[in-house]
Amino acid sequence: MSDAPEGDARERLKAALWFAIGKMVDEESLRRNRNATPQFIGALTEMVWSQIENVAIDLESFSQHAGRTTVTTDDVLLLARRNSDLYGMIKDFVDRQNAAKAKTGTKGKGKGKATRQR
C-alpha cells in the first residue's frame, strides 16, 4: 500500500492544523470572554483544510501552466490577484525580500530570473 505513508502525513498535517486552530480559537475566546465548542473548532479546521487544498491545486496549476515544476512568488501573487488587500501585502513582502537579497547580493535557489553582475 503506497498510500499509507501519504495518508499518515496527511493526517498528521490535519492534526497539526487542528491544534493550531484550536490554540488560536482558545486565545481569542479568552480574550473576548466567549466559549467555542470542539465542534466549532472541527468545522473551522475542515473549512481551512479545504481552502488549503484548493490553494495548493491552484498554485500547482499556475506553475505547470508556466512550464515550471516549482511554485514561485509569481504564482502566489497570481492567486491573490482578486483580493487587492492581500495582493498588496504579499507584493510588499516580496518586494522587501527581493530588495534585501539585492542588498546582500544573495541569490535564491532554483531556476529563477538571475541577474548578472558585471
Side-chain angles (χ1 to χ4, degrees):
M1 286 197 201
S2 64
D3 291 340
E6 186 177 314
D8 289 346
R10 182 182 175 96
E11 290 306 311
R12 285 194 308 274
L13 285 171
K14 207 168 194 179
L17 180 64
W18 180 300
F19 178 78
I21 288 173
K23 190 174 176 181
M24 287 186 270
V25 168
D26 286 346
E27 289 170 3
E28 196 62 24
S29 295
L30 288 173
R31 193 173 74 76
R32 294 180 181 263
N33 198 25
R34 302 277 186 216
N35 291 325
T37 65
Q39 292 82 8
F40 171 78
I41 295 170
L44 184 57
T45 301
E46 288 300 320
M47 184 180 70
V48 170
W49 183 262
S50 178
Q51 189 67 23
I52 290 169
E53 287 181 322
N54 289 335
V55 165
I57 290 167
D58 288 347
L59 290 173
E60 185 177 30
S61 296
F62 293 155
S63 68
Q64 286 177 352
H65 181 73
R68 291 181 272 102
T69 58
T70 303
V71 172
T72 67
T73 54
D74 291 338
D75 302 318
V76 176
L77 287 168
L78 184 59
L79 182 71
R81 72 192 180 280
R82 292 189 179 152
N83 183 332
S84 60
D85 292 335
L86 178 62
Y87 179 88
M89 288 189 298
I90 294 172
K91 181 78 169 123
D92 289 345
F93 177 80
V94 169
D95 290 345
R96 284 193 309 271
Q97 293 296 312
N98 288 341
K101 283 181 184 176
K103 194 174 191 180
T104 61
T106 59
K107 294 181 182 176
K109 294 191 284 185
K111 297 181 183 177
K113 297 177 186 172
T115 56
R116 284 193 173 171
Q117 304 254 340
R118 293 182 191 225

